[in-house]
Amino acid sequence: MTLSHVRCARHALSAAALLALAACSMPGAGPTPLLTLDGRAPLVVAHRGASGYIPEETIEAYTRAIELGADVIEMDLVVTKDGVLITRHDPNLALSTDVATKPQFASRKKTMQVDGETQTGWFSQDFTLAEIKTLGAISTDAERPQQFNGRYKIPTFQEVLDLAAAQSKATGRAIAIYPETKNPTFFRDMGLPMEDKLIAMLERAGLNSKTAPVFVQSFEPGSLKYMKSKGLKTKLIQLIDGDGIDMKTGAMTYAVPVDRPYEWTKAGDKRNFDVMVTPAGLAEIAKYADGIGPWKRYIISIKGTIGADGKPVDLNKDGKINDADASSMTPTTLVADAHKAGLFVHPFTFRNENRRLATDYKGDAKNEYLAYYRLGVDGVFTDFTDTALAARSAWLKETGR
């Protein structure tokens, strides 16, 4: 490049800089508009509390998530023998408690079907609340801290409601709650329906309104529709699940019990969850709900590298095939399609472990959040509140905020 070319380039750069400065000073100039449905920053939803650090769905996990700065704490509700709502992800207590170590309950171990899946363990509907309170919560992931196993008790939903209220007062910010009716058809079949109990508890807490800091979610449309018909006025969210990803194509795969809402299975409806993410499916959801909670792979799927033998290649050579051996695909239009239908979008679940991060995120979970924030999601379910918040701050800065 000649000296005159350098001078010209500098002149052009200076002109561009001046134009940029002028634009910043012009009336109405400001940050890039956000693509969220309401134009606000996306919510950080603490999935089962700070479950990346502390055994999930305990008071301690929820308290830690709030300390980390979560906007919302999320909980799954199952029912005890005496009809009390408790916060567990599964009716099968063997999955998240130390019940297997309690000799007094050994005789209650059994095999049964939960939403069409055969499971062996100990089940919440066979235990009173008093018995549940003798159990300790355990980590559900071997890669996560184990030193807290058995130390923390299983809370009732009421105890979590009380915590959210107390922490909202203490912190001066509204801590929203995000309860899920878990396996509602299963519990109804057991003679332990949960929906009326949930409505009554929210009503007593003064939280039964559209503007209350409450999101009620379910994988079963019938549960949401029933609660709405019975006077539940909070924001309602239709969850949308899937089983896995075909590493050759990036297509969603389906298997019991996450292939379709269990109520559909009982009714002989053979459709899978994917019908919900079509424009017609979203239009149907908009008749009874305010938003969707899709598995994140409906928004950005992944695809592996296929070897000469026709099988996915173990790129990081750790002896396992997982997300770390795959790359992200081009995003779908689900976020925009849902927004067009008037529905907000809260995908699940974001986690920090490297085995759960596609190769293009380069081992940094913040890069995954950024990819979704840029698409306009309205919130994220995360096991690691602090990482989600750090990524949100970076993204807001990126948009000029």
Side-chain angles (χ1 to χ4, degrees):
M1 183 180 282
T2 66
L3 183 59
S4 60
H5 286 145
V6 171
R7 285 173 178 155
C8 287
R10 284 177 178 167
H11 177 74
L13 181 61
S14 299
L18 287 170
L19 283 171
L21 287 170
C24 289
S25 63
M26 286 172 64
T32 306
L34 303 184
L35 297 179
T36 50
L37 184 63
D38 62 5
R40 298 178 185 176
L43 295 171
V44 170
V45 182
H47 180 244
R48 312 180 200 173
S51 51
Y53 304 111
I54 295 173
E56 64 191 41
E57 314 222 46
T58 58
I59 292 297
E60 290 77 9
Y62 291 124
T63 300
R64 183 64 183 132
I66 293 167
E67 290 171 350
L68 289 171
D71 302 307
V72 191
I73 53 173
E74 187 262 359
M75 66 282 317
D76 306 280
L77 303 179
V78 301
V79 193
T80 66
K81 184 177 183 177
D82 43 352
V84 179
L85 298 181
I86 60 171
T87 60
R88 288 292 89 189
H89 181 261
D90 305 275
N92 189 345
L93 300 172
L95 300 176
S96 63
T97 79
D98 59 4
V99 64
T101 70
K102 307 291 184 181
Q104 67 269 36
F105 300 133
S107 63
R108 297 194 202 174
K109 186 177 184 180
K110 67 182 184 182
T111 299
M112 68 178 303
Q113 293 240 317
V114 180
D115 287 8
E117 180 184 45
T118 301
Q119 296 186 13
T120 298
W122 292 258
F123 297 87
S124 69
Q125 72 273 10
D126 297 329
F127 289 74
T128 64
L129 177 61
E131 291 171 330
I132 293 282
K133 286 294 186 179
T134 67
L135 307 178
I138 62 172
S139 173
T140 59
D141 188 320
E143 287 191 16
R144 293 181 176 177
Q146 305 294 307
Q147 67 266 33
F148 306 112
N149 286 354
R151 287 176 55 180
Y152 306 133
K153 299 303 180 184
I154 285 62
T156 63
F157 179 47
Q158 186 59 55
E159 288 170 331
V160 177
L161 278 174
D162 293 343
L163 173 72
Q167 289 289 320
S168 294
K169 186 175 181 180
T171 62
R173 59 190 181 91
I175 309 299
I177 59 168
Y178 212 129
E180 177 186 347
T181 56
K182 196 75 183 179
N183 309 99
T185 294
F186 168 82
F187 280 109
R188 193 174 302 111
D189 290 347
M190 294 285 147
L192 294 166
M194 64 176 69
E195 287 88 354
D196 290 320
K197 297 177 189 294
L198 174 56
I199 297 169
M201 293 174 76
L202 293 174
E203 188 70 54
R204 283 197 301 272
L207 294 172
N208 189 21
S209 72
K210 189 66 76 178
T211 57
V214 181
F215 302 82
V216 176
Q217 57 178 333
S218 187
F219 284 105
E220 296 194 26
S223 184
L224 297 174
K225 292 175 182 177
Y226 174 85
M227 289 186 286
K228 187 167 187 170
S229 75
K230 288 291 185 174
L232 183 63
K233 302 181 182 70
T234 65
K235 295 174 281 290
L236 301 177
I237 296 82
Q238 175 64 59
L239 298 172
I240 306 173
D241 216 343
D243 180 62
I245 296 296
D246 183 336
M247 293 289 263
K248 293 182 180 180
T249 65
M252 192 79 61
T253 61
Y254 296 93
V256 173
V258 291
D259 49 353
R260 63 181 65 92
Y262 183 56
E263 63 188 23
W264 289 8
T265 298
K266 280 197 69 178
D269 188 335
K270 302 297 185 185
R271 295 177 299 162
N272 289 331
F273 274 113
D274 57 344
V275 299
M276 292 185 176
V277 300
T278 64
L282 293 168
E284 177 60 30
I285 291 169
K287 294 177 182 178
Y288 62 86
D290 303 279
I292 59 171
W295 182 26
K296 64 186 179 183
R297 295 294 172 235
Y298 282 103
I299 297 171
I300 302 178
S301 190
I302 56 174
K303 192 175 179 181
T305 298
I306 307 304
D309 59 358
K311 296 179 181 179
V313 177
D314 179 11
L315 294 179
N316 61 6
K317 296 180 171 54
D318 64 353
K320 301 171 185 175
I321 299 295
N322 50 38
D323 291 8
D325 301 304
S327 298
S328 295
M329 298 178 67
T330 301
T332 68
T333 60
L334 178 57
V335 176
D337 291 346
H339 286 171
K340 188 175 180 180
L343 298 165
F344 55 73
V345 184
H346 295 166
F348 64 86
T349 301
F350 292 79
R351 298 174 166 113
N352 283 11
E353 288 85 9
N354 192 62
R355 73 180 191 273
R356 292 167 161 146
L357 298 173
T359 57
D360 39 300
Y361 300 133
K362 304 187 186 307
D364 187 347
K366 290 193 289 293
N367 291 327
E368 181 178 35
Y369 290 102
L370 286 169
Y372 284 79
Y373 289 152
R374 288 166 183 154
L375 291 174
V377 298
D378 304 282
V380 292
F381 281 57
T382 178
D383 289 358
F384 297 88
T385 294
D386 46 349
T387 309
L389 287 170
R392 186 175 71 180
S393 293
W395 174 70
L396 289 173
K397 186 176 181 180
E398 184 181 288
T399 66
R401 286 166 176 77

